[in-house]
């Protein structure tokens, strides 16, 4: 990359960071309740309005932080999964990783677990099983090499897990009551403790990703090149699978299964930063939260005083991108 291109990329990254700060501020100011943006703005400047103070700092503040964490986790996991599958359509929500996490949570609830205590670890375990299934499909002859067939296989897998989850919830009314609002995907009612609980696993995954970013970039040049540079492709793939499972499981535990974020965010990041996975991962950091927060803000106001599920908004944004990529004359192989 030339010096001018590097400067352009840095400028674009700074613009995205500033846009994320502005979006986070907007998320604190706008909501579906009776606290207007002017009252919320006054709270930020030290107003003693107790009702507005509660809404801004106890409801919208944690919701905004969780939205940022979910956006980072889903954006990064999408970029990693696409890199290791060498497929631009590999997305956790489309290929069944998120559905695996949701199914694991539903199964745990039916077996008597509490959603408040077991959801995180169980969701990450379910996401790990989903990742392994995805890699199994990728290695099937004629499927992994065809982006569209891979998505069709993933859609079938997601549909199967979704049907099994629905059957479990029909079997157990208590589990259905606990998971009803979570399974549609959304940030409403999420608490700061949900973020604190998953933060250690997110930090560990972030450290591992920093260590494998360079070997993963070498793997994009081919297994022989990566091996010649002293890397171990099999180890890299398994570390990527574990990181994706941790990230998607944590995001699903906090906000429920949300599709298309892992497809759209790397797509936009690559358009700005180019094909290098290291730069793509950097650009996913602000773009993922931007998409989640924007969709969450729209979900609060479009049918106020009620709210739309966040997953519905991300699907409305992501489906056209999926169609545009599939309609391309030649899908790029990563």
């Amino acid at each position: 990359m030339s010096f001018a291109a590097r400067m352009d990329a840095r400028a674009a990254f700074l613009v995205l960071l500033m846009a994320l700060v502005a979006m986070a501020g907007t998320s604190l100011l706008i909501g579906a309740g009776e606290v207007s943006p002017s009252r919320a703005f006054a709270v930020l400047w030290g107003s003693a309005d107790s009702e507005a103070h509660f809404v801004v700092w106890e409801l919208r503040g944690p919701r905004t932080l969780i939205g940022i964490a979910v956006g980072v986790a889903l954006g990064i996991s999408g970029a990693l999964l696409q890199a290791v599958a060498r497929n631009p359509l590999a997305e956790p929500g489309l290929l069944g990783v998120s559905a695996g996490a949701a199914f694991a949570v539903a199964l745990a609830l039916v077996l008597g677990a509490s959603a408040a205590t077991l959801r995180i670890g169980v969701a990450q375990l379910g996401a790990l099983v989903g990742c392994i299934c995805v890699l199994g499909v990728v290695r099937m002859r004629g499927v992994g090499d065809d982006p569209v067939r891979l998505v069709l296989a993933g859609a079938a897998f997601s549909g199967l897990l979704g049907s099994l989850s629905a059957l479990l919830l029909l079997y157990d009314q208590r589990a259905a009551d606990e998971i009803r609002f979570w399974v549609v995907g959304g940030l409403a009612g999420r608490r700061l403790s949900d973020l604190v609980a998953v933060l250690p696993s997110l930090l560990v995954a972030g450290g591992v990703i920093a260590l494998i970013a360079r070997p993963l970039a070498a793997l994009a040049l081919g297994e022989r090149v990566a091996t010649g540079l002293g890397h171990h492709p099999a180890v890299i793939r398994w570390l990527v699978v574990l990181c994706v499972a941790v990230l998607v499981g944590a995001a699903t535990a906090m906000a429920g299964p949300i599709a298309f974020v892992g497809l759209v965010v790397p797509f936009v990041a690559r358009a700005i930063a180019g094909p290098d996975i290291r730069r793509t991962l950097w650009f996913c950091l602000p773009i993922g939260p931007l998409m989640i927060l924007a969709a969450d803000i729209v979900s609060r106001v479009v049918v106020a005083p009620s709210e739309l599920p966040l997953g519905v908004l991300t699907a409305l944004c992501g489906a056209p991108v999926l169609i545009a990529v599939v309609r391309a004359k030649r899908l790029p192989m990563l």
Side-chain angles (χ1 to χ4, degrees), residues 31-273:
E34 297 180 353
V35 176
S36 64
S38 60
R39 289 177 65 188
F41 188 77
V43 168
L44 297 180
W45 284 97
S47 168
D49 185 336
S50 59
E51 181 188 12
H53 188 280
F54 175 80
V55 169
V56 171
W57 295 122
E58 300 297 330
L59 298 180
R60 295 178 189 172
R63 181 173 183 161
T64 301
L65 292 176
I66 290 175
I68 292 173
V70 169
V72 169
L74 292 180
I76 293 289
S77 61
L80 289 174
L81 198 56
Q82 291 173 14
V84 78
R86 305 193 69 177
N87 190 319
L89 298 182
E91 196 268 334
L94 292 177
L95 298 188
V97 180
S98 299
F103 173 73
V105 172
L107 182 61
L109 291 175
V110 170
L111 294 177
S114 166
T117 56
L118 289 181
R119 204 167 64 195
I120 299 167
V122 171
Q124 290 174 334
L125 180 61
L128 177 61
V129 175
C131 283
I132 294 173
C133 292
V134 169
L135 285 187
V137 172
V138 168
R139 291 188 172 276
M140 290 174 62
R141 178 177 298 179
V143 178
D145 296 333
D146 187 334
V148 177
R149 292 181 70 183
L150 176 63
V151 171
L152 291 176
F157 183 54
S158 295
L160 174 63
L161 291 176
S163 299
L164 291 175
S165 298
L167 287 175
L168 288 175
L169 298 180
L170 288 174
Y171 173 77
D172 190 321
Q173 187 60 43
R174 180 192 67 85
D177 292 339
E178 282 201 61
I179 207 172
R180 182 178 302 157
F181 296 102
W182 174 80
V183 77
V184 295
L187 300 176
R190 268 49 175 185
R191 300 162 299 179
L192 195 58
S193 58
D194 296 332
L195 175 60
V196 172
V198 303
L199 199 55
S201 60
L202 292 179
L203 293 176
V204 170
V208 175
I209 292 169
L211 292 175
I212 64 174
R214 188 182 181 89
L216 191 58
L219 187 60
L221 303 175
E223 289 199 14
R224 290 185 178 179
V225 175
T227 303
L229 293 173
H231 304 304
H232 303 281
V235 176
I236 297 169
R237 288 195 183 91
W238 275 110
L239 289 175
V240 168
V241 166
L242 290 174
C243 289
V244 170
V246 168
L247 294 174
V248 175
T252 307
M254 288 188 288
I258 298 176
F260 291 108
V261 177
L263 171 72
V264 175
V265 172
F267 183 79
V268 176
R270 274 195 302 274
I272 300 173

